[in-house]
Amino acid sequence: MKTVCLYFEIHQNIHLKRYRFFDIGTDHYYYDDYENERSIQETAEHSYVPALTTLIEMAKENPGYFKCAISLSGSAIELLENYAPQVIELLQTLNATGCVEFLAEPYSHGFSSLKNVETFKEEVQRLCQKVKVLFGQTPKVFRNSCLMYSDEIGELVASMGFQGMLAEGAKHILGWKSPHFVYHCNREPKLKVLLRDCNLSEDIGFRFNDSSWSGYPLFADSYAQWIANLPADHQVINLFMELCALGIFQPLSSNILAFFKALPAQLKERGIVFSTPSEICTKVKSAGEINVTHPTTWVDEERDLSPWLGNVMQQEAIEKLYSVADRVRICNNKRLKQDWDYLQASNNLRFMSTKPNSYGGYRGIYDSPYDAFTNYMNILGDFISRVNSIYPELENEELNSLQTIIKNQETELEMKEKQIEKLQNMLAQMEEMGTDHVRSAEERAREAEEQLDGKTKTKTTKKKAPAKAKTTKKKKTDE
């Protein structure tokens, strides 16, 4: 039986303000608040709110059948909480239907998985905690920034306890293979890898409203039939896209939401079901290992890192940024850590891209990639000077010593948390036994105490008796 795995990404750029060389050392606030508020509210109005409302309706109309997955970056969550809380409320409503699985990803939507392992782990843990607080779910499947994946990253993600990971079904890594099977990491077989079907995903996300496309206009019955016509052994169809594809990339006037709303009935009619990523990882066996030596992403024809790290400017920026990663990670300055999250965001590097049409012509406030580089490096210069003033650059031995201490403390805390959880489970089990069992235990304890008291009294009596006899004998002698 064929199954569709539908996944949506929610991430929003943090817009930096115009920051000049002479601002370094005097201005420590780097953000364009007006643009951040305007852009997230516009996206919420034209995409997130109507799209999530439609998904909620689909879940209620198809209870137990319709399912999807969503991941949010930490920066997107913070923007939504500040400027568009109604989106968080809709996500919680969708979660209450039981149809959605929330995935893990790096909090910053950055490249820590490539540059600093400990920073990456800390970010993912922080995002998982945020998801737990907002939606009551503990993510089991991981999705990296820009859908980035490699053998090395897969091994790292598996070591963190995730059972699966999303990746791009890039032609140069698949070869003759199909993305319609489940694969596993070649370094850690326990980690299942779900590969995006590029064509079917982009038919919706990019080509849906393109009147020059041969598939235009696309209707739900045609799309469902395309999936049904796939070979019988092609069982998993992974449709991954950004949520803003519904309403931004494809405007609401294109009837994209009507298409989505009609899709479950058409798929059901053809015997095709929906599944979440964790369900697929649990139920479907791997068809074999997937080998990805160099990181893949879901952007541009090459599906590689070139949109973010393709030129010297981008490479210099990322090296300078992560040169302070270890010191920022061990600090307790909340303002510094928030700036760290926002400066890692992938769009900061993509604005510097010199690839033709790499960003659809949009560069935010910047006139050119060189302008973007200059502005970012000015901000980074001020940020690093702040890090140096609070946490001076340490020798490798000192830094390693501090990191070891922190790691040992984290391990000790984890052990204590597990012990607390174990004791809480034992207490809950005792409470479930009922008052009768507790009462009987109390009675047995009372009986034991009475028996102990009785034995004590008997021993005391036996010890005192000879003393009285001796006294009586003495009195008779006196008489």
Side-chain angles (χ1 to χ4, degrees):
M1 180 182 292
K2 290 185 174 63
T3 184
V4 168
C5 180
L6 186 62
Y7 157 78
F8 299 103
E9 176 207 40
I10 297 179
H11 169 66
Q12 282 292 302
N13 297 336
I14 298 291
H15 295 274
L16 303 177
K17 69 180 182 182
R18 181 65 68 177
Y19 194 93
R20 305 188 184 282
F21 176 79
F22 298 104
D23 294 325
I24 298 174
T26 61
D27 182 4
H28 304 316
Y29 193 77
Y30 312 134
Y31 314 107
D32 186 340
D33 289 333
Y34 172 80
E35 182 59 24
N36 284 326
E37 182 176 0
R38 186 204 64 78
S39 61
I40 191 65
Q41 288 183 346
E42 180 181 330
T43 304
E45 179 184 355
H46 293 99
S47 174
Y48 292 164
V49 170
L52 289 172
T53 301
T54 299
L55 293 177
I56 292 169
E57 291 172 357
M58 292 167 67
K60 291 180 177 179
E61 291 172 3
N62 304 275
Y65 174 73
F66 175 73
K67 298 174 184 178
C68 65
I70 293 175
S71 75
L72 302 91
S73 66
S75 56
I77 292 174
E78 291 182 13
L79 283 174
L80 292 171
E81 287 177 329
N82 291 332
Y83 303 121
Q86 70 272 26
V87 175
I88 298 292
E89 293 172 3
L90 284 171
L91 285 166
Q92 290 171 334
T93 302
L94 181 65
N95 183 45
T97 65
C99 79
V100 62
E101 176 181 6
F102 288 94
L103 310 185
E105 69 168 66
Y107 194 94
S108 69
H109 201 268
F111 296 93
S112 55
S113 60
L114 295 175
K115 307 303 293 186
N116 192 288
V117 170
E118 294 304 321
T119 296
F120 174 72
K121 289 181 177 180
E122 186 272 337
E123 280 197 68
V124 175
Q125 184 181 20
R126 195 149 39 96
L127 195 281
C128 289
Q129 290 170 350
K130 191 72 173 178
V131 169
K132 180 71 173 177
V133 170
L134 288 175
F135 310 112
Q137 292 192 26
T138 300
K140 301 175 183 177
V141 176
F142 183 78
R143 181 264 182 196
N144 205 0
S145 309
C146 314
L147 213 66
M148 184 168 33
Y149 178 82
S150 70
D151 299 332
E152 188 175 354
I153 294 172
E155 183 180 26
L156 173 58
V157 169
S159 71
M160 297 168 68
F162 291 100
Q163 66 180 22
M165 184 171 176
L166 308 189
E168 177 70 1
K171 296 177 183 177
H172 66 277
I173 64 163
L174 279 172
W176 56 269
K177 297 178 182 177
S178 167
H180 302 146
F181 295 87
V182 174
Y183 298 94
H184 65 260
C185 174
N186 68 351
R187 296 190 182 186
E188 181 47 77
K190 292 181 180 179
L191 184 78
K192 300 285 184 66
V193 181
L194 307 185
L195 300 177
R196 183 176 83 125
D197 185 310
C198 312
N199 293 327
L200 287 174
S201 297
E202 293 179 0
D203 286 343
I204 299 174
F206 292 105
R207 291 184 282 271
F208 184 83
N209 196 42
D210 183 2
S211 58
S212 65
W213 175 43
S214 60
Y216 179 86
L218 180 60
F219 295 102
D221 57 346
S222 301
Y223 191 80
Q225 192 58 46
W226 291 352
I227 295 175
N229 289 341
L230 292 171
D233 60 339
H234 289 213
Q235 296 184 351
V236 180
I237 296 86
N238 299 309
L239 306 177
F240 305 162
M241 65 197 75
E242 296 180 56
L243 185 61
C244 59
L246 314 184
I248 301 294
F249 302 160
Q250 308 305 321
L252 298 178
S253 59
S254 68
N255 293 318
I256 183 69
L257 296 183
F259 166 85
F260 259 93
K261 202 168 181 181
L263 196 55
Q266 294 298 327
L267 291 172
K268 193 172 187 179
E269 186 179 306
R270 292 163 175 79
I272 302 167
V273 300
F274 286 92
S275 297
T276 62
S278 62
E279 288 177 340
I280 292 173
C281 291
T282 302
K283 297 176 182 178
V284 182
K285 292 182 178 181
S286 170
E289 66 180 23
I290 191 78
N291 300 299
V292 186
T293 306
H294 302 288
T296 56
T297 67
W298 65 351
V299 174
D300 287 353
E301 185 67 26
E302 297 86 353
R303 313 289 182 186
D304 60 10
L305 295 172
S306 58
W308 303 275
L309 300 174
N311 61 45
V312 176
M313 293 184 296
Q314 294 167 316
Q315 293 162 15
E316 181 180 347
I318 197 171
E319 290 300 326
K320 189 169 184 179
L321 174 65
Y322 284 99
S323 68
V324 296
D326 291 327
R327 281 180 285 157
V328 174
R329 192 179 69 256
I330 64 177
C331 83
N332 293 317
N333 187 311
K334 291 184 179 180
R335 176 69 182 279
L336 204 66
K337 284 209 162 189
Q338 185 181 53
D339 291 339
W340 171 247
D341 286 335
Y342 294 170
L343 291 175
Q344 286 186 82
S346 62
N347 63 284
N348 293 315
L349 293 170
R350 196 164 182 191
F351 284 142
M352 304 175 199
S353 176
T354 51
K355 289 183 66 177
N357 299 319
S358 176
Y359 206 58
Y362 176 70
R363 294 191 185 277
I365 63 172
Y366 307 117
D367 299 325
S368 68
Y370 312 101
D371 185 28
F373 172 72
T374 302
N375 200 71
Y376 183 76
M377 294 303 280
N378 286 341
I379 291 173
L380 198 54
D382 183 79
F383 176 76
I384 291 176
S385 69
R386 286 166 58 204
V387 175
N388 289 336
S389 65
I390 303 174
Y391 303 97
E393 193 167 358
L394 303 173
E395 295 293 332
N396 287 336
E397 290 183 5
E398 292 179 278
L399 189 58
N400 291 337
S401 177
L402 282 173
Q403 290 175 354
T404 301
I405 292 170
I406 292 170
K407 194 169 184 179
N408 290 340
Q409 289 176 339
E410 289 175 350
T411 303
E412 188 176 346
L413 285 172
E414 286 178 8
M415 290 175 64
K416 288 182 177 178
E417 285 176 0
K418 288 179 180 178
Q419 289 176 348
I420 291 170
E421 187 178 354
K422 185 178 180 180
L423 290 172
Q424 287 175 338
N425 290 335
M426 290 174 64
L427 182 60
Q429 290 175 1
M430 289 176 67
E431 289 175 352
E432 289 176 1
M433 290 171 64
T435 55
D436 292 340
H437 294 282
V438 175
R439 192 178 296 114
S440 63
E442 289 176 350
E443 289 173 355
R444 287 197 298 272
R446 197 178 299 114
E447 289 174 3
E449 286 180 6
E450 289 174 357
Q451 290 176 5
L452 183 61
D453 289 341
K455 288 179 180 179
T456 305
K457 288 176 182 178
T458 303
K459 288 180 179 179
T460 304
T461 304
K462 288 180 179 179
K463 285 180 180 179
K464 288 182 178 180
K468 288 181 180 179
K470 190 175 182 181
T471 304
T472 306
K473 188 176 181 181
K474 187 178 181 182
K475 283 183 179 179
K476 288 182 178 179
T477 306
D478 292 340
E479 289 175 356

